[in-house]
Amino acid sequence: MNASLSTSHVSDPSTNRSTAWILAAASIGLMMGRILAVDSVDLRGLEKTRLDKVRSDLAALRKSWEAEGISGNELESRVEAKRVELERQARIRRPFLSANDRSRWCTVRALVEEDLRVPGAPYAIDRVIQLPLWDTIDMVKHDGHLYSSKPPLFATLLAAPYWVIHKATGATLGTHPYEIGRCLLILVNVLPMAVFFWLTGRLAERFAATDWARTVVMATAAFGTFLTTFAVVLNNHLPAAVCVMVALYAAVRIGFDGQRRLRYFVAAGLFSGLAAANELPALAFFAALALGLLWKDPRGTVLGFIPAALLVAAGFFGTNWIAHQSLRPPYAHRSKTDPNDNWYRYSYERGGRQLRSYWEDPKGIDRGEPSRGVYAFHALVGHHGIFSLTPIWLLTLVGLGQWLLRPSDPNQRLLALLIVAVSAACLTFYLGVVDQQDRNYGGMTSGLRWSFWLIPMWLVAALPAADLAARRPWSRAIVLVLLAWSALSAAYPTWNPWTHPWLYDFMEYQGWLP
């Protein structure tokens, strides 16, 4: 077997011109998406106006108190206390855009900031949610404390760099939310995505026969998926996709190129395990990879893959036990028959008000779609549709067909079978198994986010179809339209990925939705 990731290189005389058109199509889609989302809302300007009013109100209060004979330290103390109160009421901006990502940020703060830590419950967020702008609905309650509903491993890992920043500077996510939040997002989102792009390029070199196909897939990775859309928020979907890409690359090196270095087995086990820790259905990917590698090389799998995977399992279940004294993640405690095992039914106090859990009476799309058929339609080709929002994945269907029916290497058929089986398992779970409460398209979100972790495999499977399309001008033109449409959908949520897709907004505007 060839130990290199390179294949025969077929150059096209019009490569440069084709590359320009591909990137132009992606750029046009981005611009159209942002144009469709343009709005005059300016929270920064609105907040500045409110803060300016605070300053004028403080000046008036100072004069009033001075007229009453108040001066010196007492005056300054009153003014400062009033300033803190009024500024807290005036501030409306925050870099944490949704209850979903704030849920994890709350856990990170609780783990690191001593004054927010609950004695005996290091993962409890009771004190964090009392702070202005730090509310979240994505939480559960047990043993008298509130916790994020997310598995605690990811937040635990993120707490490490935050602890370093906090100890080195004394700053917190409360005092410097933008500076620290953006630094941590670059660390956990942007840098891993750079690795994602690099490995996409390597796999494109390995499997594509034409420069045009390589460029199409790279442009899709860069502009045409929701991974870059979600890079601005803390979420589990982007890390899961990056982990799948690393594990897939390692598996290709082992299965296609005959590499038997232990590091590839370790990488496959570690990152497929992390993918499953971030996305439960990615257990299908983990299991398929484990079986395939065990068949290819039992020794390397036992010595490298399995120990690395066990390390992830120890971290996942260990942090869950420390946080909740349970091996099941919080979202698995939602019993309909045992009230003691339903952590989503509770009351709590915030800001002096007694509140009920949002999940006892969810609103809008969070109520879930009653019909499985309607849900499957909209999840595939409707307002949250994988193929209606990002039709570039139609190339993936064609590419999988090519590898299954006419592979140039038997390993291509095996890889295609893996991608089909894993994708089918994920979509079957979310479209055909979950109850109505979970048939909500991921809640307020710009795409079917539970499918995002499949993107690395879909990119690779699109390569043979892109090669096929490269042969004729009309088929290239079709691909460019698919790419532009996909880039449009990825760009539409300009400011916040936790918004409805443009197709949903369009259907709602037309009155087509109930």
Side-chain angles (χ1 to χ4, degrees):
M1 280 193 172
N2 184 8
S4 164
L5 270 178
S6 61
T7 63
S8 59
H9 182 86
V10 178
S11 294
D12 190 325
S14 61
T15 293
N16 292 335
R17 185 170 54 198
S18 297
T19 301
W21 276 112
I22 291 168
L23 298 179
S27 180
I28 290 167
L30 284 171
M31 289 185 287
M32 290 176 62
R34 291 194 172 103
I35 288 170
L36 289 175
V38 165
D39 201 327
S40 61
V41 173
D42 183 1
L43 291 182
R44 181 176 298 177
L46 179 58
E47 184 177 277
K48 182 179 183 300
T49 300
R50 291 163 65 106
L51 291 174
D52 287 342
K53 187 177 185 303
V54 166
R55 283 187 282 273
S56 65
D57 289 347
L58 283 175
L61 282 172
R62 178 185 286 272
K63 289 181 180 180
S64 174
W65 287 331
E66 287 174 344
E68 295 174 10
I70 301 171
S71 61
N73 290 337
E74 183 181 354
L75 176 64
E76 297 304 324
S77 177
R78 281 196 183 190
V79 171
E80 178 61 18
K82 198 64 178 176
R83 181 191 67 79
V84 171
E85 177 189 350
L86 292 176
E87 285 193 358
R88 182 175 61 190
Q89 295 171 358
R91 293 195 181 278
I92 56 177
R93 294 169 55 219
R94 50 188 167 184
F96 314 118
L97 304 179
S98 164
N100 189 296
D101 58 321
R102 284 196 302 276
S103 179
R104 288 188 173 88
W105 287 116
C106 286
T107 302
V108 171
R109 292 195 69 180
L111 287 171
V112 173
E113 298 177 42
E114 294 181 6
D115 59 331
L116 296 178
R117 196 172 301 154
V118 177
Y123 285 85
I125 61 174
D126 304 52
R127 296 179 178 177
V128 183
I129 67 159
Q130 301 301 325
L131 302 173
L133 303 181
W134 281 89
D135 58 301
T136 180
I137 59 173
D138 283 350
M139 56 186 182
V140 298
K141 186 176 183 179
H142 65 89
D143 299 330
H145 296 297
L146 296 167
Y147 299 87
S148 168
S149 58
K150 314 300 181 184
L153 177 59
F154 185 22
T156 305
L157 295 174
L158 185 60
Y162 176 47
W163 181 88
V164 173
I165 294 172
H166 176 57
K167 294 300 180 182
T169 65
T172 71
L173 281 164
T175 60
H176 295 76
Y178 286 92
E179 296 86 345
I180 297 177
R182 287 167 177 169
C183 285
L184 291 175
L185 286 175
I186 290 171
L187 178 66
V188 300
N189 286 351
V190 178
L191 295 182
M193 280 301 291
V195 175
F196 180 91
F197 293 142
W198 175 63
L199 293 180
T200 300
R202 294 282 289 168
L203 290 174
E205 285 292 323
R206 175 62 179 80
F207 290 112
T210 62
D211 288 331
W212 197 84
R214 297 183 185 103
T215 306
V216 163
V217 168
M218 281 303 301
T220 300
F223 303 112
T225 83
F226 284 106
L227 293 181
T228 52
T229 309
F230 273 75
V232 300
V233 294
L234 190 63
N235 68 96
N236 58 304
H237 312 297
L238 187 152
V242 174
C243 289
V244 169
M245 176 59 81
V246 176
L248 181 63
Y249 174 82
V252 166
R253 293 293 276 155
I254 295 168
F256 282 79
D257 301 327
Q259 285 288 344
R260 293 297 181 265
R261 296 178 186 177
L262 197 62
R263 67 188 187 197
Y264 290 114
F265 292 92
V266 171
L270 180 66
F271 287 98
S272 63
L274 285 171
N278 280 291
E279 294 276 11
L280 179 62
L283 279 171
F285 174 73
F286 170 82
L289 218 56
L291 291 175
L293 294 180
L294 191 63
W295 174 64
K296 281 284 184 182
D297 190 318
R299 180 177 178 276
T301 305
V302 170
L303 295 180
F305 185 97
I306 293 177
L310 288 175
L311 179 64
V312 176
F316 180 84
F317 292 111
T319 54
N320 210 75
W321 184 263
I322 294 170
H324 306 291
Q325 290 74 57
S326 171
L327 294 179
R328 288 180 290 153
Y331 57 72
H333 292 269
R334 204 163 45 178
S335 173
K336 295 179 180 179
T337 57
D338 182 2
N340 293 322
D341 194 36
N342 189 330
W343 295 356
Y344 284 83
R345 300 184 66 86
Y346 58 86
S347 62
Y348 66 103
E349 183 180 315
R350 185 173 190 271
R353 297 172 57 205
Q354 197 69 20
L355 304 172
R356 300 295 301 177
S357 166
Y358 169 83
W359 302 107
E360 291 191 23
D361 184 24
K363 303 296 188 294
I365 201 169
D366 286 326
R367 293 175 180 171
E369 169 57 55
S371 168
R372 292 187 187 276
V374 171
Y375 186 67
F377 174 82
H378 282 299
L380 295 173
V381 294
H383 53 62
H384 278 74
I386 294 170
F387 298 108
S388 51
L389 291 174
T390 46
I392 195 69
W393 301 133
L394 293 173
L395 291 184
T396 298
L397 297 181
V398 176
L400 288 171
Q402 287 181 269
W403 274 355
L404 288 172
L405 300 177
R406 294 189 299 274
S408 58
D409 179 339
N411 286 317
Q412 290 177 349
R413 179 177 283 120
L414 294 177
L415 180 57
L417 286 171
L418 181 148
I419 295 171
V420 169
V422 170
S423 300
C426 176
L427 296 178
T428 299
F429 176 77
Y430 281 117
L431 304 185
V433 175
V434 297
D435 295 333
Q436 178 179 336
Q437 60 188 346
D438 291 318
R439 294 200 294 270
N440 64 354
Y441 308 99
M444 179 69 76
T445 179
S446 52
L448 193 70
R449 57 191 176 94
W450 294 316
S451 67
F452 292 172
W453 67 273
L454 296 165
I455 286 173
M457 291 181 283
W458 292 353
L459 285 170
V460 171
L463 286 164
D467 275 329
L468 187 65
R471 299 176 183 177
R472 297 174 181 85
W474 64 265
S475 56
R476 292 190 184 199
I478 291 175
V479 171
L480 294 182
V481 171
L482 299 180
L483 176 57
W485 187 288
S486 301
L488 182 158
S489 299
Y492 180 75
T494 301
W495 297 298
N496 189 347
W498 303 112
T499 55
H500 286 311
W502 70 271
L503 269 177
Y504 186 97
D505 287 343
F506 176 74
M507 290 182 180
E508 188 174 51
Y509 174 76
Q510 295 293 333
W512 297 344
L513 299 179

